[in-house]
Amino acid sequence: MTQIPSETTDDTADSTRYVVVTNHEEQYSLWPAHRELPPGWQARTPPAGRQTCLDHIREHWSDMRPLSLREREQRP
């Protein structure tokens, strides 16, 4: 669920509205706005088009390592 979908699909044919969601490990994903969120995931954006959500993910998800790994690597 955490992979960013390929950009090779035809976005003009996709009328689905999405939200950007994150989990407790601060991993990001797209989720169809009309579907109930899976347990442990929280919406971070209002419903928007796929590309808008992908742009949000690119801007905000700068470190793809799970939070637990980042914290573990910071320990002395």
Side-chain angles (χ1 to χ4, degrees), residues 16-61:
T16 304
R17 304 296 283 173
Y18 296 93
V19 292
V20 173
V21 295
T22 59
N23 64 14
H24 70 283
E25 290 281 6
E26 296 182 357
Q27 295 169 307
Y28 285 69
S29 187
L30 294 181
W31 193 256
H34 67 277
R35 293 189 56 198
E36 184 176 335
L37 295 179
W41 291 81
Q42 296 181 335
R44 298 297 179 191
T45 64
R50 181 177 175 273
Q51 190 59 53
T52 299
C53 291
L54 288 174
D55 291 344
H56 178 89
I57 290 172
R58 274 193 199 88
E59 182 180 336
H60 292 92
W61 196 14

Short mmCIF file of all heavy atoms in Angstrom, two decimals, residues 16-61:
data_model
loop_
_atom_site.label_atom_id
_atom_site.label_comp_id
_atom_site.label_asym_id
_atom_site.label_seq_id
_atom_site.Cartn_x
_atom_site.Cartn_y
_atom_site.Cartn_z
N THR A 16 -11.57 9.24 -10.35
CA THR A 16 -11.60 8.91 -8.93
C THR A 16 -10.98 10.04 -8.12
O THR A 16 -9.95 10.60 -8.51
CB THR A 16 -10.85 7.60 -8.66
OG1 THR A 16 -11.40 6.58 -9.47
CG2 THR A 16 -10.91 7.21 -7.20
N ARG A 17 -11.58 10.36 -6.99
CA ARG A 17 -11.00 11.31 -6.04
C ARG A 17 -10.23 10.50 -5.01
O ARG A 17 -10.69 9.45 -4.56
CB ARG A 17 -12.09 12.14 -5.37
CG ARG A 17 -13.00 12.86 -6.34
CD ARG A 17 -12.31 13.90 -7.14
NE ARG A 17 -12.09 15.08 -6.31
CZ ARG A 17 -11.38 16.13 -6.68
NH1 ARG A 17 -10.82 16.16 -7.84
NH2 ARG A 17 -11.24 17.14 -5.87
N TYR A 18 -9.07 10.97 -4.64
CA TYR A 18 -8.21 10.28 -3.69
C TYR A 18 -7.91 11.17 -2.49
O TYR A 18 -8.08 12.39 -2.55
CB TYR A 18 -6.87 9.91 -4.35
CG TYR A 18 -7.00 8.93 -5.48
CD1 TYR A 18 -7.14 9.36 -6.79
CD2 TYR A 18 -7.00 7.56 -5.24
CE1 TYR A 18 -7.26 8.46 -7.83
CE2 TYR A 18 -7.11 6.65 -6.27
CZ TYR A 18 -7.24 7.11 -7.58
OH TYR A 18 -7.36 6.21 -8.60
N VAL A 19 -7.43 10.54 -1.43
CA VAL A 19 -6.84 11.25 -0.31
C VAL A 19 -5.45 10.67 -0.10
O VAL A 19 -5.19 9.52 -0.45
CB VAL A 19 -7.67 11.12 0.99
CG1 VAL A 19 -8.99 11.84 0.86
CG2 VAL A 19 -7.88 9.68 1.38
N VAL A 20 -4.56 11.49 0.43
CA VAL A 20 -3.25 11.00 0.85
C VAL A 20 -3.42 10.50 2.27
O VAL A 20 -4.00 11.19 3.12
CB VAL A 20 -2.18 12.11 0.78
CG1 VAL A 20 -0.86 11.64 1.37
CG2 VAL A 20 -2.00 12.58 -0.66
N VAL A 21 -2.94 9.30 2.53
CA VAL A 21 -3.04 8.72 3.86
C VAL A 21 -1.65 8.38 4.37
O VAL A 21 -0.72 8.17 3.60
CB VAL A 21 -3.93 7.45 3.85
CG1 VAL A 21 -5.36 7.80 3.49
CG2 VAL A 21 -3.40 6.39 2.90
N THR A 22 -1.52 8.38 5.70
CA THR A 22 -0.28 7.95 6.34
C THR A 22 -0.60 6.96 7.44
O THR A 22 -1.70 6.95 7.99
CB THR A 22 0.51 9.14 6.95
OG1 THR A 22 -0.32 9.79 7.92
CG2 THR A 22 0.95 10.13 5.88
N ASN A 23 0.41 6.16 7.76
CA ASN A 23 0.24 5.20 8.86
C ASN A 23 1.13 5.61 10.04
O ASN A 23 1.78 6.66 10.00
CB ASN A 23 0.52 3.77 8.40
CG ASN A 23 1.96 3.55 7.97
OD1 ASN A 23 2.84 4.36 8.23
ND2 ASN A 23 2.20 2.44 7.30
N HIS A 24 1.17 4.77 11.06
CA HIS A 24 1.94 5.09 12.27
C HIS A 24 3.45 5.15 12.00
O HIS A 24 4.20 5.70 12.80
CB HIS A 24 1.64 4.07 13.37
CG HIS A 24 2.19 2.71 13.08
ND1 HIS A 24 1.60 1.84 12.18
CD2 HIS A 24 3.29 2.09 13.55
CE1 HIS A 24 2.31 0.74 12.11
NE2 HIS A 24 3.34 0.85 12.92
N GLU A 25 3.89 4.61 10.88
CA GLU A 25 5.31 4.65 10.51
C GLU A 25 5.63 5.83 9.59
O GLU A 25 6.70 5.93 9.03
CB GLU A 25 5.71 3.35 9.80
CG GLU A 25 5.75 2.15 10.72
CD GLU A 25 7.00 2.07 11.56
OE1 GLU A 25 7.84 3.01 11.54
OE2 GLU A 25 7.16 1.05 12.26
N GLU A 26 4.65 6.74 9.43
CA GLU A 26 4.77 7.91 8.57
C GLU A 26 5.07 7.54 7.12
O GLU A 26 5.80 8.22 6.42
CB GLU A 26 5.82 8.89 9.12
CG GLU A 26 5.42 9.46 10.46
CD GLU A 26 6.40 10.47 11.02
OE1 GLU A 26 7.46 10.72 10.41
OE2 GLU A 26 6.09 11.03 12.09
N GLN A 27 4.46 6.44 6.69
CA GLN A 27 4.51 6.04 5.29
C GLN A 27 3.27 6.58 4.60
O GLN A 27 2.20 6.64 5.20
CB GLN A 27 4.59 4.52 5.17
CG GLN A 27 5.87 3.97 5.77
CD GLN A 27 5.84 2.47 5.90
OE1 GLN A 27 4.92 1.92 6.47
NE2 GLN A 27 6.86 1.82 5.35
N TYR A 28 3.41 6.96 3.35
CA TYR A 28 2.33 7.61 2.60
C TYR A 28 1.75 6.67 1.54
O TYR A 28 2.44 5.81 1.02
CB TYR A 28 2.86 8.85 1.88
CG TYR A 28 3.13 10.03 2.77
CD1 TYR A 28 4.16 10.02 3.69
CD2 TYR A 28 2.36 11.18 2.67
CE1 TYR A 28 4.42 11.11 4.51
CE2 TYR A 28 2.61 12.29 3.48
CZ TYR A 28 3.64 12.23 4.38
OH TYR A 28 3.89 13.32 5.18
N SER A 29 0.49 6.92 1.20
CA SER A 29 -0.16 6.19 0.13
C SER A 29 -1.36 6.99 -0.37
O SER A 29 -1.82 7.91 0.29
CB SER A 29 -0.62 4.82 0.63
OG SER A 29 -1.10 4.04 -0.44
N LEU A 30 -1.84 6.61 -1.55
CA LEU A 30 -3.10 7.14 -2.08
C LEU A 30 -4.21 6.20 -1.66
O LEU A 30 -4.01 4.99 -1.60
CB LEU A 30 -3.07 7.17 -3.61
CG LEU A 30 -2.10 8.09 -4.30
CD1 LEU A 30 -2.27 7.96 -5.80
CD2 LEU A 30 -2.33 9.52 -3.89
N TRP A 31 -5.38 6.76 -1.43
CA TRP A 31 -6.52 5.93 -1.07
C TRP A 31 -7.76 6.54 -1.72
O TRP A 31 -7.95 7.77 -1.64
CB TRP A 31 -6.68 5.88 0.44
CG TRP A 31 -7.63 4.82 0.88
CD1 TRP A 31 -8.91 5.01 1.33
CD2 TRP A 31 -7.41 3.42 0.91
NE1 TRP A 31 -9.50 3.80 1.63
CE2 TRP A 31 -8.58 2.80 1.38
CE3 TRP A 31 -6.32 2.61 0.58
CZ2 TRP A 31 -8.71 1.43 1.52
CZ3 TRP A 31 -6.44 1.25 0.72
CH2 TRP A 31 -7.62 0.67 1.19
N PRO A 32 -8.61 5.74 -2.36
CA PRO A 32 -9.83 6.30 -2.93
C PRO A 32 -10.67 6.96 -1.85
O PRO A 32 -10.94 6.36 -0.80
CB PRO A 32 -10.55 5.06 -3.51
CG PRO A 32 -9.45 4.06 -3.73
CD PRO A 32 -8.47 4.30 -2.63
N ALA A 33 -11.06 8.20 -2.08
CA ALA A 33 -11.75 8.99 -1.05
C ALA A 33 -13.10 8.38 -0.66
O ALA A 33 -13.54 8.58 0.48
CB ALA A 33 -11.94 10.42 -1.55
N HIS A 34 -13.72 7.64 -1.54
CA HIS A 34 -15.05 7.09 -1.25
C HIS A 34 -14.98 5.82 -0.39
O HIS A 34 -16.00 5.37 0.11
CB HIS A 34 -15.80 6.80 -2.55
CG HIS A 34 -15.20 5.71 -3.37
ND1 HIS A 34 -14.15 5.94 -4.24
CD2 HIS A 34 -15.47 4.39 -3.44
CE1 HIS A 34 -13.82 4.80 -4.82
NE2 HIS A 34 -14.59 3.84 -4.36
N ARG A 35 -13.80 5.27 -0.21
CA ARG A 35 -13.66 4.04 0.57
C ARG A 35 -13.28 4.35 2.01
O ARG A 35 -12.59 5.33 2.30
CB ARG A 35 -12.58 3.15 -0.04
CG ARG A 35 -13.02 2.65 -1.42
CD ARG A 35 -12.12 1.61 -1.97
NE ARG A 35 -12.00 0.49 -1.06
CZ ARG A 35 -11.01 -0.39 -1.14
NH1 ARG A 35 -10.09 -0.28 -2.07
NH2 ARG A 35 -10.93 -1.38 -0.28
N GLU A 36 -13.73 3.50 2.92
CA GLU A 36 -13.36 3.62 4.33
C GLU A 36 -11.85 3.37 4.47
O GLU A 36 -11.30 2.49 3.82
CB GLU A 36 -14.13 2.59 5.15
CG GLU A 36 -13.90 2.70 6.64
CD GLU A 36 -14.77 1.72 7.42
OE1 GLU A 36 -15.83 1.32 6.92
OE2 GLU A 36 -14.37 1.38 8.55
N LEU A 37 -11.22 4.17 5.31
CA LEU A 37 -9.77 4.01 5.50
C LEU A 37 -9.47 2.69 6.20
O LEU A 37 -10.20 2.27 7.10
CB LEU A 37 -9.20 5.16 6.33
CG LEU A 37 -9.27 6.54 5.70
CD1 LEU A 37 -8.69 7.57 6.66
CD2 LEU A 37 -8.55 6.57 4.38
N PRO A 38 -8.37 2.05 5.83
CA PRO A 38 -7.99 0.83 6.53
C PRO A 38 -7.52 1.16 7.95
O PRO A 38 -7.07 2.29 8.21
CB PRO A 38 -6.84 0.26 5.69
CG PRO A 38 -6.34 1.40 4.88
CD PRO A 38 -7.46 2.39 4.75
N PRO A 39 -7.63 0.21 8.86
CA PRO A 39 -7.18 0.45 10.23
C PRO A 39 -5.72 0.92 10.26
O PRO A 39 -4.87 0.40 9.54
CB PRO A 39 -7.33 -0.91 10.91
CG PRO A 39 -8.34 -1.64 10.09
CD PRO A 39 -8.16 -1.15 8.68
N GLY A 40 -5.47 1.92 11.09
CA GLY A 40 -4.10 2.41 11.26
C GLY A 40 -3.68 3.50 10.30
O GLY A 40 -2.57 4.00 10.39
N TRP A 41 -4.53 3.87 9.36
CA TRP A 41 -4.21 4.90 8.37
C TRP A 41 -5.08 6.13 8.61
O TRP A 41 -6.24 6.00 8.98
CB TRP A 41 -4.42 4.38 6.96
CG TRP A 41 -3.41 3.32 6.59
CD1 TRP A 41 -3.46 2.01 6.92
CD2 TRP A 41 -2.22 3.51 5.85
NE1 TRP A 41 -2.36 1.35 6.43
CE2 TRP A 41 -1.58 2.25 5.76
CE3 TRP A 41 -1.61 4.60 5.24
CZ2 TRP A 41 -0.37 2.07 5.11
CZ3 TRP A 41 -0.40 4.41 4.58
CH2 TRP A 41 0.20 3.16 4.51
N GLN A 42 -4.50 7.33 8.38
CA GLN A 42 -5.23 8.58 8.58
C GLN A 42 -5.13 9.43 7.32
O GLN A 42 -4.05 9.52 6.71
CB GLN A 42 -4.63 9.37 9.75
CG GLN A 42 -4.77 8.68 11.07
CD GLN A 42 -4.18 9.52 12.19
OE1 GLN A 42 -3.32 10.35 11.99
NE2 GLN A 42 -4.68 9.30 13.39
N ALA A 43 -6.23 10.06 6.95
CA ALA A 43 -6.24 10.96 5.80
C ALA A 43 -5.46 12.23 6.14
O ALA A 43 -5.58 12.78 7.22
CB ALA A 43 -7.67 11.31 5.41
N ARG A 44 -4.65 12.68 5.20
CA ARG A 44 -3.83 13.88 5.39
C ARG A 44 -4.20 15.01 4.45
O ARG A 44 -3.72 16.13 4.61
CB ARG A 44 -2.35 13.54 5.19
CG ARG A 44 -1.83 12.54 6.18
CD ARG A 44 -1.91 13.10 7.58
NE ARG A 44 -1.43 12.12 8.55
CZ ARG A 44 -1.58 12.25 9.83
NH1 ARG A 44 -2.18 13.30 10.33
NH2 ARG A 44 -1.13 11.32 10.65
N THR A 45 -5.04 14.72 3.46
CA THR A 45 -5.45 15.75 2.51
C THR A 45 -6.96 15.63 2.27
O THR A 45 -7.54 14.58 2.52
CB THR A 45 -4.75 15.57 1.14
OG1 THR A 45 -5.15 14.33 0.56
CG2 THR A 45 -3.24 15.65 1.28
N PRO A 46 -7.57 16.69 1.78
CA PRO A 46 -8.95 16.56 1.33
C PRO A 46 -8.97 15.77 0.03
O PRO A 46 -7.93 15.63 -0.63
CB PRO A 46 -9.39 18.01 1.12
CG PRO A 46 -8.15 18.77 0.91
CD PRO A 46 -7.06 18.05 1.66
N PRO A 47 -10.13 15.25 -0.38
CA PRO A 47 -10.20 14.54 -1.66
C PRO A 47 -9.72 15.42 -2.81
O PRO A 47 -10.01 16.61 -2.87
CB PRO A 47 -11.69 14.23 -1.80
CG PRO A 47 -12.20 14.17 -0.39
CD PRO A 47 -11.41 15.24 0.33
N ALA A 48 -8.96 14.81 -3.70
CA ALA A 48 -8.39 15.53 -4.84
C ALA A 48 -8.10 14.53 -5.95
O ALA A 48 -8.21 13.32 -5.76
CB ALA A 48 -7.12 16.26 -4.42
N GLY A 49 -7.68 15.04 -7.08
CA GLY A 49 -7.29 14.19 -8.19
C GLY A 49 -6.01 13.44 -7.87
O GLY A 49 -5.24 13.81 -6.97
N ARG A 50 -5.78 12.39 -8.63
CA ARG A 50 -4.62 11.52 -8.41
C ARG A 50 -3.30 12.30 -8.46
O ARG A 50 -2.45 12.15 -7.59
CB ARG A 50 -4.63 10.40 -9.45
CG ARG A 50 -3.51 9.41 -9.31
CD ARG A 50 -3.68 8.29 -10.35
NE ARG A 50 -2.56 7.41 -10.32
CZ ARG A 50 -1.45 7.60 -11.02
NH1 ARG A 50 -1.33 8.65 -11.80
NH2 ARG A 50 -0.46 6.75 -10.93
N GLN A 51 -3.12 13.11 -9.49
CA GLN A 51 -1.85 13.82 -9.64
C GLN A 51 -1.62 14.82 -8.51
O GLN A 51 -0.51 14.97 -8.02
CB GLN A 51 -1.76 14.53 -11.00
CG GLN A 51 -0.38 15.08 -11.28
CD GLN A 51 0.70 14.00 -11.27
OE1 GLN A 51 0.57 12.99 -11.97
NE2 GLN A 51 1.75 14.19 -10.50
N THR A 52 -2.67 15.49 -8.06
CA THR A 52 -2.54 16.41 -6.94
C THR A 52 -2.05 15.67 -5.70
O THR A 52 -1.17 16.14 -4.98
CB THR A 52 -3.89 17.11 -6.66
OG1 THR A 52 -4.27 17.85 -7.81
CG2 THR A 52 -3.81 18.02 -5.45
N CYS A 53 -2.60 14.48 -5.47
CA CYS A 53 -2.18 13.68 -4.32
C CYS A 53 -0.74 13.20 -4.47
O CYS A 53 0.04 13.22 -3.52
CB CYS A 53 -3.13 12.50 -4.12
SG CYS A 53 -4.77 13.00 -3.56
N LEU A 54 -0.37 12.76 -5.68
CA LEU A 54 1.01 12.34 -5.91
C LEU A 54 1.98 13.49 -5.68
O LEU A 54 3.06 13.31 -5.11
CB LEU A 54 1.16 11.79 -7.32
CG LEU A 54 0.53 10.43 -7.59
CD1 LEU A 54 0.63 10.08 -9.07
CD2 LEU A 54 1.16 9.35 -6.73
N ASP A 55 1.60 14.68 -6.12
CA ASP A 55 2.44 15.86 -5.90
C ASP A 55 2.62 16.12 -4.40
O ASP A 55 3.71 16.45 -3.94
CB ASP A 55 1.85 17.09 -6.58
CG ASP A 55 1.90 17.00 -8.10
OD1 ASP A 55 2.64 16.15 -8.64
OD2 ASP A 55 1.16 17.78 -8.75
N HIS A 56 1.54 15.97 -3.64
CA HIS A 56 1.61 16.15 -2.19
C HIS A 56 2.59 15.14 -1.57
O HIS A 56 3.41 15.50 -0.73
CB HIS A 56 0.22 16.01 -1.56
CG HIS A 56 0.23 16.15 -0.08
ND1 HIS A 56 0.10 17.36 0.56
CD2 HIS A 56 0.38 15.22 0.90
CE1 HIS A 56 0.17 17.18 1.87
NE2 HIS A 56 0.33 15.88 2.10
N ILE A 57 2.49 13.91 -2.00
CA ILE A 57 3.38 12.87 -1.46
C ILE A 57 4.83 13.20 -1.79
O ILE A 57 5.70 13.12 -0.92
CB ILE A 57 2.98 11.48 -2.00
CG1 ILE A 57 1.64 11.04 -1.39
CG2 ILE A 57 4.07 10.45 -1.71
CD1 ILE A 57 1.05 9.79 -2.00
N ARG A 58 5.10 13.57 -3.03
CA ARG A 58 6.48 13.91 -3.41
C ARG A 58 7.03 15.07 -2.57
O ARG A 58 8.19 15.09 -2.23
CB ARG A 58 6.53 14.27 -4.89
CG ARG A 58 6.69 13.07 -5.73
CD ARG A 58 7.05 13.43 -7.16
NE ARG A 58 6.74 12.28 -7.97
CZ ARG A 58 5.56 12.04 -8.52
NH1 ARG A 58 4.57 12.89 -8.39
NH2 ARG A 58 5.35 10.95 -9.21
N GLU A 59 6.18 16.03 -2.28
CA GLU A 59 6.61 17.20 -1.52
C GLU A 59 6.86 16.88 -0.05
O GLU A 59 7.78 17.42 0.57
CB GLU A 59 5.55 18.30 -1.63
CG GLU A 59 5.93 19.58 -0.92
CD GLU A 59 4.86 20.65 -1.07
OE1 GLU A 59 4.07 20.60 -2.03
OE2 GLU A 59 4.83 21.55 -0.20
N HIS A 60 6.05 15.99 0.53
CA HIS A 60 6.10 15.77 1.98
C HIS A 60 6.80 14.50 2.43
O HIS A 60 7.21 14.41 3.58
CB HIS A 60 4.68 15.79 2.54
CG HIS A 60 4.05 17.13 2.46
ND1 HIS A 60 3.30 17.53 1.38
CD2 HIS A 60 4.09 18.18 3.30
CE1 HIS A 60 2.89 18.78 1.57
NE2 HIS A 60 3.36 19.20 2.73
N TRP A 61 6.93 13.52 1.57
CA TRP A 61 7.53 12.24 1.98
C TRP A 61 8.97 12.21 1.50
O TRP A 61 9.32 11.59 0.51
CB TRP A 61 6.74 11.07 1.41
CG TRP A 61 7.05 9.74 2.05
CD1 TRP A 61 7.72 9.51 3.21
CD2 TRP A 61 6.66 8.46 1.56
NE1 TRP A 61 7.77 8.17 3.48
CE2 TRP A 61 7.13 7.50 2.48
CE3 TRP A 61 5.97 8.04 0.44
CZ2 TRP A 61 6.92 6.14 2.30
CZ3 TRP A 61 5.76 6.68 0.28
CH2 TRP A 61 6.23 5.74 1.20
#
